[in-house]
Amino acid sequence: MTTDKTITVEQTGSAIGRPERQRQTLLGLGLTRIGRRRTLVDTPAVRGLIAKVAHLVKIVDGK
């Protein structure tokens, strides 16, 4: 099953001083520094990762 829905997320908070699990979640999303944006396939797994670090990222665009 292929889907063409994507979601763009931007890192808005620093990983410094955060628990290792949150740092690894940001890396899993492909975010390494504040201001970096990534366009990802909109799946439940990606939505779950975003929810875990919602205080460090924002959804810029969802198509």
Side-chain angles (χ1 to χ4, degrees), residues 3-4 13 15 25 30 36 40 46 49 54:
T3 178
D4 57 346
T25 302
R36 172 109 357 133
L40 307 163
V46 170
L49 289 173

mmCIF file with all atom_site columns, all heavy atoms in Angstrom, residues 3-4 13 15 25 30 36 40 46 49 54:
data_model
loop_
_atom_site.group_PDB
_atom_site.id
_atom_site.type_symbol
_atom_site.label_atom_id
_atom_site.label_alt_id
_atom_site.label_comp_id
_atom_site.label_asym_id
_atom_site.label_entity_id
_atom_site.label_seq_id
_atom_site.pdbx_PDB_ins_code
_atom_site.Cartn_x
_atom_site.Cartn_y
_atom_site.Cartn_z
_atom_site.occupancy
_atom_site.B_iso_or_equiv
_atom_site.pdbx_formal_charge
_atom_site.auth_seq_id
_atom_site.auth_comp_id
_atom_site.auth_asym_id
_atom_site.auth_atom_id
_atom_site.pdbx_PDB_model_num
ATOM 1  N N   . THR A 1 3  ? 1.186  5.457  -0.099 1.00 0.00 ? 3  THR A N   1
ATOM 2  C CA  . THR A 1 3  ? 0.431  6.658  0.223  1.00 0.00 ? 3  THR A CA  1
ATOM 3  C C   . THR A 1 3  ? 1.239  7.865  -0.197 1.00 0.00 ? 3  THR A C   1
ATOM 4  O O   . THR A 1 3  ? 2.458  7.863  -0.093 1.00 0.00 ? 3  THR A O   1
ATOM 5  C CB  . THR A 1 3  ? 0.093  6.722  1.723  1.00 0.00 ? 3  THR A CB  1
ATOM 6  O OG1 . THR A 1 3  ? -0.606 7.931  1.973  1.00 0.00 ? 3  THR A OG1 1
ATOM 7  C CG2 . THR A 1 3  ? 1.312  6.672  2.590  1.00 0.00 ? 3  THR A CG2 1
ATOM 8  N N   . ASP A 1 4  ? 0.581  8.868  -0.703 1.00 0.00 ? 4  ASP A N   1
ATOM 9  C CA  . ASP A 1 4  ? 1.293  10.064 -1.122 1.00 0.00 ? 4  ASP A CA  1
ATOM 10 C C   . ASP A 1 4  ? 1.109  11.197 -0.128 1.00 0.00 ? 4  ASP A C   1
ATOM 11 O O   . ASP A 1 4  ? 1.516  12.317 -0.382 1.00 0.00 ? 4  ASP A O   1
ATOM 12 C CB  . ASP A 1 4  ? 0.860  10.492 -2.520 1.00 0.00 ? 4  ASP A CB  1
ATOM 13 C CG  . ASP A 1 4  ? -0.635 10.739 -2.627 1.00 0.00 ? 4  ASP A CG  1
ATOM 14 O OD1 . ASP A 1 4  ? -1.365 10.326 -1.709 1.00 0.00 ? 4  ASP A OD1 1
ATOM 15 O OD2 . ASP A 1 4  ? -1.061 11.336 -3.611 1.00 0.00 ? 4  ASP A OD2 1
ATOM 16 N N   . GLY A 1 13 ? 12.814 23.207 19.267 1.00 0.00 ? 13 GLY A N   1
ATOM 17 C CA  . GLY A 1 13 ? 13.477 23.197 20.566 1.00 0.00 ? 13 GLY A CA  1
ATOM 18 C C   . GLY A 1 13 ? 14.755 22.388 20.513 1.00 0.00 ? 13 GLY A C   1
ATOM 19 O O   . GLY A 1 13 ? 14.930 21.513 19.669 1.00 0.00 ? 13 GLY A O   1
ATOM 20 N N   . ALA A 1 15 ? 17.698 19.718 21.759 1.00 0.00 ? 15 ALA A N   1
ATOM 21 C CA  . ALA A 1 15 ? 17.783 18.397 22.378 1.00 0.00 ? 15 ALA A CA  1
ATOM 22 C C   . ALA A 1 15 ? 18.730 18.409 23.577 1.00 0.00 ? 15 ALA A C   1
ATOM 23 O O   . ALA A 1 15 ? 18.794 17.436 24.321 1.00 0.00 ? 15 ALA A O   1
ATOM 24 C CB  . ALA A 1 15 ? 18.255 17.370 21.359 1.00 0.00 ? 15 ALA A CB  1
ATOM 25 N N   . THR A 1 25 ? 14.466 10.044 19.456 1.00 0.00 ? 25 THR A N   1
ATOM 26 C CA  . THR A 1 25 ? 13.242 10.254 18.689 1.00 0.00 ? 25 THR A CA  1
ATOM 27 C C   . THR A 1 25 ? 13.444 11.347 17.648 1.00 0.00 ? 25 THR A C   1
ATOM 28 O O   . THR A 1 25 ? 13.019 11.212 16.496 1.00 0.00 ? 25 THR A O   1
ATOM 29 C CB  . THR A 1 25 ? 12.066 10.606 19.620 1.00 0.00 ? 25 THR A CB  1
ATOM 30 O OG1 . THR A 1 25 ? 11.900 9.540  20.556 1.00 0.00 ? 25 THR A OG1 1
ATOM 31 C CG2 . THR A 1 25 ? 10.779 10.795 18.842 1.00 0.00 ? 25 THR A CG2 1
ATOM 32 N N   . GLY A 1 30 ? 14.821 12.500 11.765 1.00 0.00 ? 30 GLY A N   1
ATOM 33 C CA  . GLY A 1 30 ? 15.772 13.159 10.875 1.00 0.00 ? 30 GLY A CA  1
ATOM 34 C C   . GLY A 1 30 ? 16.055 14.596 11.247 1.00 0.00 ? 30 GLY A C   1
ATOM 35 O O   . GLY A 1 30 ? 16.538 15.371 10.428 1.00 0.00 ? 30 GLY A O   1
ATOM 36 N N   . ARG A 1 36 ? 15.707 22.911 11.399 1.00 0.00 ? 36 ARG A N   1
ATOM 37 C CA  . ARG A 1 36 ? 15.767 21.884 10.359 1.00 0.00 ? 36 ARG A CA  1
ATOM 38 C C   . ARG A 1 36 ? 14.376 21.344 10.092 1.00 0.00 ? 36 ARG A C   1
ATOM 39 O O   . ARG A 1 36 ? 13.622 21.084 11.013 1.00 0.00 ? 36 ARG A O   1
ATOM 40 C CB  . ARG A 1 36 ? 16.703 20.773 10.822 1.00 0.00 ? 36 ARG A CB  1
ATOM 41 C CG  . ARG A 1 36 ? 16.724 19.573 9.944  1.00 0.00 ? 36 ARG A CG  1
ATOM 42 C CD  . ARG A 1 36 ? 17.917 19.251 9.093  1.00 0.00 ? 36 ARG A CD  1
ATOM 43 N NE  . ARG A 1 36 ? 19.042 20.108 9.034  1.00 0.00 ? 36 ARG A NE  1
ATOM 44 C CZ  . ARG A 1 36 ? 20.297 19.695 9.146  1.00 0.00 ? 36 ARG A CZ  1
ATOM 45 N NH1 . ARG A 1 36 ? 20.559 18.431 9.399  1.00 0.00 ? 36 ARG A NH1 1
ATOM 46 N NH2 . ARG A 1 36 ? 21.296 20.532 8.998  1.00 0.00 ? 36 ARG A NH2 1
ATOM 47 N N   . LEU A 1 40 ? 8.127  13.950 5.733  1.00 0.00 ? 40 LEU A N   1
ATOM 48 C CA  . LEU A 1 40 ? 8.023  12.522 6.015  1.00 0.00 ? 40 LEU A CA  1
ATOM 49 C C   . LEU A 1 40 ? 6.686  11.990 5.529  1.00 0.00 ? 40 LEU A C   1
ATOM 50 O O   . LEU A 1 40 ? 5.713  12.746 5.402  1.00 0.00 ? 40 LEU A O   1
ATOM 51 C CB  . LEU A 1 40 ? 8.158  12.288 7.524  1.00 0.00 ? 40 LEU A CB  1
ATOM 52 C CG  . LEU A 1 40 ? 9.388  12.892 8.186  1.00 0.00 ? 40 LEU A CG  1
ATOM 53 C CD1 . LEU A 1 40 ? 9.197  12.960 9.688  1.00 0.00 ? 40 LEU A CD1 1
ATOM 54 C CD2 . LEU A 1 40 ? 10.616 12.093 7.844  1.00 0.00 ? 40 LEU A CD2 1
ATOM 55 N N   . VAL A 1 46 ? 4.976  7.621  12.340 1.00 0.00 ? 46 VAL A N   1
ATOM 56 C CA  . VAL A 1 46 ? 5.580  8.960  12.318 1.00 0.00 ? 46 VAL A CA  1
ATOM 57 C C   . VAL A 1 46 ? 4.785  9.900  13.218 1.00 0.00 ? 46 VAL A C   1
ATOM 58 O O   . VAL A 1 46 ? 5.369  10.696 13.957 1.00 0.00 ? 46 VAL A O   1
ATOM 59 C CB  . VAL A 1 46 ? 5.662  9.493  10.867 1.00 0.00 ? 46 VAL A CB  1
ATOM 60 C CG1 . VAL A 1 46 ? 6.047  10.965 10.850 1.00 0.00 ? 46 VAL A CG1 1
ATOM 61 C CG2 . VAL A 1 46 ? 6.657  8.669  10.064 1.00 0.00 ? 46 VAL A CG2 1
ATOM 62 N N   . LEU A 1 49 ? 5.877  9.315  16.754 1.00 0.00 ? 49 LEU A N   1
ATOM 63 C CA  . LEU A 1 49 ? 7.169  9.938  17.061 1.00 0.00 ? 49 LEU A CA  1
ATOM 64 C C   . LEU A 1 49 ? 6.996  11.437 17.295 1.00 0.00 ? 49 LEU A C   1
ATOM 65 O O   . LEU A 1 49 ? 7.584  11.999 18.224 1.00 0.00 ? 49 LEU A O   1
ATOM 66 C CB  . LEU A 1 49 ? 8.160  9.698  15.916 1.00 0.00 ? 49 LEU A CB  1
ATOM 67 C CG  . LEU A 1 49 ? 8.687  8.289  15.728 1.00 0.00 ? 49 LEU A CG  1
ATOM 68 C CD1 . LEU A 1 49 ? 9.518  8.191  14.454 1.00 0.00 ? 49 LEU A CD1 1
ATOM 69 C CD2 . LEU A 1 49 ? 9.511  7.859  16.922 1.00 0.00 ? 49 LEU A CD2 1
ATOM 70 N N   . ALA A 1 54 ? 6.415  16.503 20.853 1.00 0.00 ? 54 ALA A N   1
ATOM 71 C CA  . ALA A 1 54 ? 5.573  17.605 20.372 1.00 0.00 ? 54 ALA A CA  1
ATOM 72 C C   . ALA A 1 54 ? 6.032  18.959 20.916 1.00 0.00 ? 54 ALA A C   1
ATOM 73 O O   . ALA A 1 54 ? 5.831  19.985 20.275 1.00 0.00 ? 54 ALA A O   1
ATOM 74 C CB  . ALA A 1 54 ? 4.124  17.355 20.750 1.00 0.00 ? 54 ALA A CB  1
#
